[in-house]
Amino acid sequence: MKTQLEQARGGVVTPEMRRVAEKERVSAEVIRAELAAGRLVIPANRLHLAGVGVPDAAGVSCGGVKLDAVGIGRSVTTKINANIGASPVSSCKEHELLKLQWAVKFGADAVMDLSTGGDLDATRQFLIANSTVPIGTVPMYSMIVAKPVEELTYADMLAAIEKQAAQGVDFFTIHAGILRRHLEPAMRRKLGIVSRGGSLLAKWMLHTGRENPMYEMFDEISAVLRQYDVSYSLGDGLRPGCLADASDEAQFGELDVLGELVHRARASGVQTMVEGPGHVPYDQIEMNMTRQREVCDGAPFYVLGPIVTDMFPGYDHITSTIGATAAAYHGASFLCYVTPSEHLALPRPEDVKQGCIAYKIAAHAADVARKLPGARERDDAISDARARFDWPAQFELAFDGEQAREIRGRDKVGEEDYCSMCGRSWCAVRLSNEIKAGVGKGSSQ
Amino acid sequence: MKTQLEQARGGVVTPEMRRVAEKERVSAEVIRAELAAGRLVIPANRLHLAGVGVPDAAGVSCGGVKLDAVGIGRSVTTKINANIGASPVSSCKEHELLKLQWAVKFGADAVMDLSTGGDLDATRQFLIANSTVPIGTVPMYSMIVAKPVEELTYADMLAAIEKQAAQGVDFFTIHAGILRRHLEPAMRRKLGIVSRGGSLLAKWMLHTGRENPMYEMFDEISAVLRQYDVSYSLGDGLRPGCLADASDEAQFGELDVLGELVHRARASGVQTMVEGPGHVPYDQIEMNMTRQREVCDGAPFYVLGPIVTDMFPGYDHITSTIGATAAAYHGASFLCYVTPSEHLALPRPEDVKQGCIAYKIAAHAADVARKLPGARERDDAISDARARFDWPAQFELAFDGEQAREIRGRDKVGEEDYCSMCGRSWCAVRLSNEIKAGVGKGSSQ
């Protein structure tokens, strides 16, 4: 069976391409052409597309929700990803399902299960079985549950990747770009390596004295991904972990390798996106986006934030939303959210909500700025509702109408033509409506 | 007595200029030269500098806190303003003092008292008496308490302005740029006029058939401001209230008048800044900043947001922080915060806190990006603390250490070398430190 990429190259428009086109208001042919060129991916494991159930306690298959295809690339709207997952400190499959549900409710287009605690295989399968959005993972994490990273063999690694592909995972973060030659510059950094996958592979390389196994086995890994049509998300093991480390030799050295791997992955028929920073000063974001597009031949860029200042822990959904908007405006296609608990703790459902909303703001603001067709329609509709003091319509059109209603409701002003911010006499919008009537009269005098 | 501007022009370095220089790590001569050129303002009513007490119930003067001078301009760090003020729906002097205290605690460099309810004069005096930061007002608001706007005479308006100047207000928003010719284009907008002062003046103009009195009386108003050294914040009565209205004929028509008034104000010896939007799509922000600088001859630009999408009421501290960062990077000097209750209700102390923190993020991220001297020091220090797992130092260096401590503390992991996000075995920073030691060994082999 052929991957979406191979079919697109062969001129075939798949049902998934049609579905993406329908949601995006562009033609299926545009989707096909962008996919064929490697500038768009539809992360859709064929098993997840068909629906993968999991047996319940009585052995009856449950879940088996089918994936609703999502397109990621510059020709369509900017997408956001929510990272969830249990950790050794806190793990419960049902909590993760709750986070998945909150993520989707608040606009996540994809969800990564980054569990490092609990029963990883069972959690992953449970989430896939219950998700309409693409599920991504970092297969490395499950490899080190069985044995210490330095003892992992090529066979162990391939087996874990194959197992997760067979479970229906839609995209894999594979840190194949971090090479031995990058470790020395990375260790000169303030914060070294802040990617979990990157640091585990660095440890493996250091211990075995060999090159990155993901790089060495890249074509074999690609063959597994091709079989299930899992998409690559080429990981940035050397993304900067603070402003001081941004745009350095380690980061761009790895990016060059990722550029090479984009071509190799495409040659293997595997859809590919590339991951990016991290922590980047605001003035370096445009340059980073331009450089990635050049080096990676237009492969969709999947960025984490970037965070634009390091000194606001507890508010990194905001510090990173600023960077994410700039990134999405200047070249990124896929934004990985950051929650208020970044750098401090495992996100809880409320963090997932706050992170998703912040990132929907970034994605949408960038789409409006990019002038995508119809991007501003809902903004315009809510502005019309504001002008006519139609509060129910405002709540309906607001991204989180519940929250808006609660804030307005706390001062008990009722469904009237003002709010408690200014009170009635000082309300500019109310006055403006009066003036509008007056100017109309005036011009006929 | 001469204003800061007049003294700067005469080559005099005032104690306030020295104080600003000391806080900003630039020389007093730079401050003086920037002030003389009109590119920097120090909003400092001479009465507030001296300390203005208010009599308490027993007739004894209390308060009388002296202003700590603040500089606003591109040669110094970006400043933020917090709007507070009672409304007819909710008014209490002590609540406003609480908001002032929260605003200053969470980083506000200036506070505007926008009260429209309660005893306006008493609230204003009470806040000035208790504020170390500059206090701004919109004198128009107090004018319409006594009589309907359309009945206001020139004398009423001048008297209100003089009264507030004599109370010690440091800067006034005066909407002198909105003229009769702008009303027709403004009424073609989706949201018309969303500035309270702008809409009140429009109503006055429409009712009396005369030109904007603030424009007509501009030189007389300047004479009052000069006497107390109150700074102008030339109001943008026609700032766009939604994306659809941004960068339109009404907005830029008014801006041209503001440009003319900057020169007239300077000629009168009055320090002047200019207010700006509002709601602006992300892609139009740089253009707006450039245009203001050209039209207003480098007068400091004081922007409200701008908000970059209209459809997230309840989260406008975030939608606007994105715009504010871009604005501060591209040309603004002073950012007026927006709180989560914007468009919905009067802000409460918690909203003031959230708004201030979001805006400190914007201001700081822009200062880092502008490469101001030392701007990144605290970011670098917290990153160093992260690398060595020095949690107490991280909390100390965090802008809101209390919040950071609370999030980390909820999973009860103690003062160890990891957090609940990944757990110990998966912690990249911990692994990275291990690798660093290893690479050191490796290179000596």
Side-chain angles (χ1 to χ4, degrees):
Chain A
M1 280 175 74
K2 289 183 173 176
T3 63
Q4 299 282 343
L5 173 59
E6 291 166 326
Q7 295 186 78
R9 280 184 193 146
V12 176
V13 172
T14 65
E16 293 71 39
M17 297 178 208
R18 267 198 299 277
R19 173 66 183 138
V20 168
E22 175 190 310
K23 291 196 279 188
E24 301 281 354
R25 304 198 196 186
V26 293
S27 72
E29 174 51 26
V30 165
I31 299 298
R32 189 208 59 75
E34 288 293 300
L35 227 164
R39 289 189 300 263
L40 185 139
V41 298
I42 300 179
N45 186 311
R46 40 179 127 263
L47 299 176
H48 195 190
L49 275 176
V52 195
V54 280
D56 66 10
V60 182
S61 177
C62 69
V65 166
K66 289 180 189 174
L67 174 69
D68 184 23
V70 171
I72 299 170
R74 293 294 284 173
S75 52
V76 294
T77 54
T78 305
K79 302 301 184 298
I80 71 165
N81 175 76
N83 285 341
I84 63 171
S87 95
V89 177
S90 160
S91 59
C92 163
K93 211 170 63 172
E94 286 70 25
H95 280 179
E96 297 314 311
L97 179 60
L98 184 66
K99 287 187 207 165
L100 168 66
Q101 290 164 339
W102 279 52
V104 172
K105 174 175 177 186
F106 291 105
D109 301 291
V111 167
M112 289 192 78
D113 172 18
L114 301 187
S115 291
T116 55
D119 182 339
L120 271 61
D121 289 338
T123 302
R124 188 183 315 115
Q125 194 65 74
F126 187 63
L127 292 175
I128 295 166
N130 288 287
S131 179
T132 54
V133 303
I135 296 286
T137 63
V138 186
M140 189 87 207
Y141 297 172
S142 68
M143 299 175 195
I144 67 162
V145 170
K147 49 168 96 168
V149 65
E150 55 272 28
E151 294 174 19
L152 287 174
T153 64
Y154 276 25
D156 293 332
M157 298 183 198
L158 265 184
I161 290 169
E162 168 110 42
K163 177 174 189 174
Q164 295 198 20
Q167 281 186 311
V169 174
D170 301 293
F171 60 104
F172 284 153
T173 295
I174 301 285
H175 298 93
I178 172 176
L179 300 185
R180 288 177 61 79
R181 66 174 184 265
H182 304 136
L183 298 185
E184 191 273 325
M187 289 306 129
R188 274 187 267 127
R189 288 172 157 184
K190 209 175 260 303
L191 260 164
I193 305 177
V194 297
S195 147
R196 293 192 287 207
S199 64
L200 291 167
L201 285 164
K203 190 172 175 180
W204 190 94
M205 288 189 263
L206 201 71
H207 190 270
T208 60
R210 294 164 64 187
E211 191 48 281
N212 181 344
M214 302 294 171
Y215 181 81
E216 297 288 319
M217 286 194 291
F218 192 71
D219 295 331
E220 290 151 274
I221 297 171
S222 297
V224 175
L225 270 64
R226 189 194 159 278
Q227 193 187 339
Y228 296 89
D229 203 357
V230 178
S231 297
Y232 267 123
S233 180
L234 294 175
D236 56 335
L238 294 173
R239 66 171 172 271
C242 62
L243 299 185
D245 295 342
S247 311
D248 72 347
E249 188 188 332
Q251 181 194 328
F252 288 139
E254 182 187 39
L255 182 63
D256 287 340
V257 180
L258 297 179
E260 172 206 325
L261 294 175
V262 164
H263 292 287
R264 282 174 60 188
R266 287 178 183 168
S268 296
V270 181
Q271 302 187 75
T272 305
M273 49 192 173
V274 175
E275 295 184 11
H279 291 237
V280 181
Y282 188 73
D283 59 306
Q284 295 176 20
I285 293 174
E286 180 175 359
M287 176 273 284
N288 267 271
M289 298 305 119
T290 306
R291 187 156 175 163
Q292 186 274 348
R293 284 219 261 186
E294 284 167 12
V295 172
C296 297
D297 192 30
F301 204 14
Y302 174 27
V303 294
L304 177 61
I307 282 170
V308 295
T309 158
D310 301 330
M311 54 174 259
F312 291 85
Y315 300 88
D316 280 326
H317 59 312
I318 300 180
T319 63
S320 66
T321 295
I322 294 167
T325 309
Y329 180 61
H330 290 295
S333 301
F334 194 23
L335 308 174
C336 183
Y337 84 176
V338 172
T339 78
S341 58
E342 183 73 18
H343 300 112
L344 298 167
L346 192 71
R348 295 184 171 183
E350 177 61 26
D351 295 310
V352 171
K353 173 181 168 180
Q354 295 303 325
C356 283
I357 292 174
Y359 274 70
K360 283 307 275 190
I361 291 172
H364 180 68
D367 288 346
V368 166
R370 294 199 292 139
K371 301 187 173 63
L372 292 194
R376 224 186 59 198
E377 278 174 10
R378 195 160 153 189
D379 296 271
D380 289 350
I382 201 170
S383 301
D384 285 334
R386 275 194 183 124
R388 62 174 194 269
F389 290 98
D390 185 343
W391 292 100
Q394 287 182 62
F395 298 141
E396 185 63 34
L397 289 160
F399 186 77
D400 183 3
E402 218 171 302
Q403 173 73 1
R405 193 185 298 269
E406 189 186 314
I407 295 176
R408 175 168 154 80
R410 72 189 183 198
D411 287 324
K412 300 180 179 54
V413 288
E415 297 299 331
E416 300 170 71
D417 57 352
Y418 66 96
C419 79
S420 65
M421 182 119 183
C422 312
R424 191 165 192 280
S425 307
W426 273 264
C427 174
V429 178
R430 201 186 53 75
L431 283 170
S432 191
N433 286 345
E434 260 184 54
I435 293 160
K436 201 165 202 165
V439 168
K441 264 191 291 174
S443 63
S444 65
Q445 282 173 349
Chain B
M1 281 176 73
K2 290 182 172 173
T3 63
Q4 299 282 344
L5 173 58
E6 290 166 327
Q7 293 187 78
R9 279 183 194 146
V12 177
V13 172
T14 64
E16 292 71 39
M17 296 178 209
R18 266 197 299 278
R19 174 65 183 139
V20 167
E22 176 190 310
K23 291 196 280 188
E24 300 282 354
R25 304 198 198 183
V26 293
S27 72
E29 174 51 26
V30 165
I31 299 299
R32 189 206 59 75
E34 288 292 301
L35 227 164
R39 290 189 298 264
L40 184 139
V41 298
I42 300 180
N45 186 311
R46 41 179 125 263
L47 299 176
H48 195 189
L49 275 177
V52 195
V54 280
D56 66 9
V60 181
S61 177
C62 69
V65 166
K66 289 179 189 176
L67 174 68
D68 184 22
V70 170
I72 299 170
R74 293 294 283 174
S75 52
V76 295
T77 54
T78 305
K79 303 302 184 298
I80 71 164
N81 175 77
N83 286 341
I84 63 169
S87 95
V89 177
S90 161
S91 59
C92 163
K93 211 168 62 171
E94 285 71 24
H95 280 179
E96 297 313 312
L97 179 60
L98 184 67
K99 287 187 207 165
L100 169 66
Q101 288 163 340
W102 279 53
V104 172
K105 175 176 177 186
F106 291 105
D109 301 291
V111 167
M112 290 193 78
D113 171 19
L114 301 187
S115 290
T116 55
D119 183 338
L120 271 60
D121 289 338
T123 301
R124 188 185 313 116
Q125 194 66 74
F126 186 64
L127 292 175
I128 294 166
N130 289 288
S131 178
T132 55
V133 303
I135 296 287
T137 62
V138 186
M140 189 88 208
Y141 297 172
S142 69
M143 299 174 193
I144 66 161
V145 170
K147 48 168 95 168
V149 65
E150 55 270 30
E151 294 175 19
L152 287 174
T153 65
Y154 275 25
D156 293 332
M157 298 184 199
L158 264 183
I161 290 170
E162 169 111 40
K163 177 173 188 175
Q164 295 198 20
Q167 282 185 311
V169 175
D170 301 294
F171 61 103
F172 284 152
T173 295
I174 302 285
H175 297 94
I178 172 176
L179 300 184
R180 288 177 59 80
R181 66 173 184 266
H182 303 136
L183 298 185
E184 189 273 326
M187 289 307 129
R188 274 188 266 127
R189 288 172 157 183
K190 207 173 262 300
L191 259 164
I193 304 176
V194 297
S195 147
R196 293 192 287 207
S199 63
L200 290 167
L201 284 164
K203 189 171 176 180
W204 190 94
M205 289 190 262
L206 201 73
H207 190 268
T208 62
R210 294 164 64 189
E211 191 48 280
N212 181 344
M214 301 295 169
Y215 181 81
E216 296 288 320
M217 285 195 292
F218 192 72
D219 295 331
E220 290 152 275
I221 296 171
S222 297
V224 175
L225 270 64
R226 187 192 160 280
Q227 193 188 336
Y228 296 88
D229 203 357
V230 178
S231 297
Y232 268 123
S233 181
L234 295 175
D236 55 335
L238 294 173
R239 66 171 171 270
C242 63
L243 299 185
D245 294 343
S247 310
D248 72 346
E249 186 186 335
Q251 181 194 328
F252 287 139
E254 181 186 41
L255 182 64
D256 288 340
V257 179
L258 297 179
E260 172 205 326
L261 295 175
V262 165
H263 292 287
R264 282 172 63 186
R266 287 177 181 169
S268 297
V270 180
Q271 301 185 76
T272 305
M273 48 192 172
V274 174
E275 294 182 12
H279 291 236
V280 182
Y282 188 74
D283 59 306
Q284 296 176 19
I285 293 175
E286 180 174 0
M287 176 273 283
N288 267 271
M289 298 304 119
T290 306
R291 186 154 175 166
Q292 186 275 348
R293 285 220 262 187
E294 284 167 12
V295 172
C296 298
D297 192 30
F301 203 15
Y302 175 26
V303 294
L304 177 62
I307 282 169
V308 294
T309 158
D310 301 330
M311 55 174 257
F312 291 85
Y315 300 88
D316 280 327
H317 59 312
I318 300 179
T319 63
S320 66
T321 295
I322 295 167
T325 309
Y329 180 63
H330 290 296
S333 301
F334 194 23
L335 308 175
C336 184
Y337 84 177
V338 172
T339 78
S341 57
E342 183 74 18
H343 299 112
L344 298 167
L346 191 71
R348 295 184 169 184
E350 178 60 27
D351 294 310
V352 170
K353 173 182 168 179
Q354 295 303 324
C356 282
I357 292 173
Y359 274 69
K360 284 306 277 191
I361 291 171
H364 180 68
D367 288 348
V368 167
R370 294 200 291 139
K371 301 187 175 62
L372 291 194
R376 223 186 59 196
E377 278 174 9
R378 197 161 153 188
D379 297 271
D380 289 350
I382 201 170
S383 301
D384 285 333
R386 273 194 186 125
R388 62 175 194 269
F389 290 98
D390 184 344
W391 292 100
Q394 287 183 62
F395 299 142
E396 185 63 32
L397 289 160
F399 185 78
D400 183 3
E402 218 171 303
Q403 173 73 2
R405 193 185 298 270
E406 189 186 313
I407 294 175
R408 174 167 156 80
R410 70 188 183 199
D411 287 325
K412 301 182 179 54
V413 287
E415 297 299 333
E416 299 170 71
D417 58 350
Y418 65 95
C419 79
S420 64
M421 182 121 184
C422 312
R424 191 165 192 280
S425 307
W426 273 265
C427 174
V429 178
R430 201 187 54 75
L431 284 171
S432 192
N433 287 345
E434 261 183 51
I435 294 162
K436 202 165 204 164
V439 168
K441 266 192 289 173
S443 63
S444 65
Q445 285 173 344

